[in-house]
């Protein structure tokens, strides 16, 4: 997901308009007004929000950019393609994933910030039945479990989309089915 796509999805959440319709510019007049209001809201706060695409970005560069963003007054940071931060040659992948996660936690604590880290994973299609994702499906999951406050999964099975709250430090874990109302997904 590109930063542009992520921003479109944030607009979709804010306006409750399906992000694909925003991308295709297939909006009714009242939806265009809602989208313009959302865009204005985000533009007014753009100086407080930063989206980093980590594809090919070394960990040290990401941490330096986050520190600079904090010094520049940024309050919200979204980190996309976290799994695509390259590991050093010869490094053990699982150990390096744990190091990346712990480095993010330590940076968040040092800067008194919260990050939203996006990790996309796919299960191998070896003919097995698709199961709901769990934290242990992600490389470095023990470090994620130790460091994160909330772990959410979005899952789709036979057209039913579910938000799975796998871990929540200050709340109960649960699963919430979402329904498509013709424009966007919602839950009760």
């Amino acid at each position: 997901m590109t930063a542009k796509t992520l921003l479109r999805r944030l607009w979709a959440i804010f306006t409750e308009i399906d992000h694909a319709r925003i991308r295709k510019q297939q909006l009714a007049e009242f939806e265009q007004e809602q989208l313009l209001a959302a865009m204005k809201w985000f533009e007014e706060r753009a100086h407080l929000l930063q989206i980093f695409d980590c594809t090919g970005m070394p960990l040290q560069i990401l941490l330096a950019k986050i520190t600079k963003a904090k010094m520049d007054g940024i309050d919200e940071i979204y980190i996309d393609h976290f799994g695509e931060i390259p590991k050093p040659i010869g490094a053990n992948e699982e150990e390096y994933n744990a190091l990346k996660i712990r480095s993010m936690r330590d940076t968040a604590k040092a800067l008194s910030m919260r990050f939203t880290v996006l990790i996309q994973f796919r299960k191998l299609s070896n003919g097995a039945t698709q199961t709901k994702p769990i934290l242990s499906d992600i490389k470095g999951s023990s470090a994620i479990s130790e460091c994160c406050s909330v772990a959410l999964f979005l899952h789709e099975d036979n057209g039913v989309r579910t938000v799975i709250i796998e871990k929540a430090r200050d709340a109960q874990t649960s699963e919430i089915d979402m329904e498509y109302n013709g424009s966007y997904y919602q839950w009760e």
Side-chain angles (χ1 to χ4, degrees):
M1 179 186 321
T2 64
K4 188 176 184 178
T5 302
L6 177 59
L7 189 54
R8 252 196 316 264
R9 289 183 185 222
L10 290 171
W11 292 338
I13 291 167
F14 190 82
T15 60
E16 299 183 342
I17 300 171
D18 178 47
H19 77 278
R21 291 183 48 235
I22 292 173
R23 180 176 42 85
K24 295 175 186 174
Q25 299 179 356
Q26 299 173 336
L27 304 174
E29 188 174 328
F30 77 94
E31 291 173 323
Q32 291 174 5
E33 291 172 11
Q34 285 179 320
L35 180 59
L36 286 172
M39 292 169 84
K40 182 179 178 183
W41 188 88
F42 276 94
E43 184 179 323
E44 290 170 354
R45 289 154 184 82
H47 63 284
L48 303 175
L49 173 90
Q50 181 73 51
I51 301 171
F52 291 112
D53 182 343
C54 296
T55 305
M57 184 186 300
L59 179 61
Q60 295 81 359
I61 299 294
L62 173 63
L63 297 175
K65 286 185 173 200
I66 290 170
T67 303
K68 181 178 181 325
K70 175 64 175 183
M71 291 171 26
D72 291 344
I74 301 293
D75 289 335
E76 273 187 71
I77 294 184
Y78 293 83
I79 300 167
D80 199 6
H81 295 119
F82 187 72
E84 296 182 33
I85 294 173
K87 71 178 179 71
I89 296 172
N92 175 291
E93 188 171 2
E94 191 169 322
E95 289 174 6
Y96 189 65
N97 284 334
L99 172 70
K100 288 189 307 188
I101 292 160
R102 288 187 181 103
S103 296
M104 295 301 297
R105 176 201 58 201
D106 295 345
T107 301
K109 282 183 178 181
L111 299 175
S112 298
M113 294 184 81
R114 288 188 196 196
F115 308 141
T116 300
V117 178
L118 307 170
I119 302 173
Q120 182 176 4
F121 71 98
R122 295 176 183 87
K123 294 193 174 192
L124 298 175
S125 57
N126 56 3
T129 306
Q130 175 70 22
T131 60
K132 290 184 180 177
I134 56 175
L135 204 51
S136 62
D137 290 336
I138 302 174
K139 292 177 183 173
S141 61
S142 61
I144 293 171
S145 183
E146 173 190 326
C147 296
C148 74
S149 297
V150 177
L152 301 174
F153 292 104
L154 302 177
H155 176 68
E156 183 173 0
D157 187 22
N158 295 324
V160 176
R161 291 189 177 184
T162 306
V163 175
I164 302 168
I165 304 171
E166 177 77 10
K167 178 189 177 191
R169 279 210 177 117
D170 301 324
Q172 184 177 9
T173 60
S174 63
E175 293 185 13
I176 305 163
D177 288 337
M178 300 183 341
E179 293 182 14
Y180 187 67
N181 76 356
S183 299
Y184 55 88
Y185 285 90
Q186 66 184 21
W187 58 85
E188 295 289 327

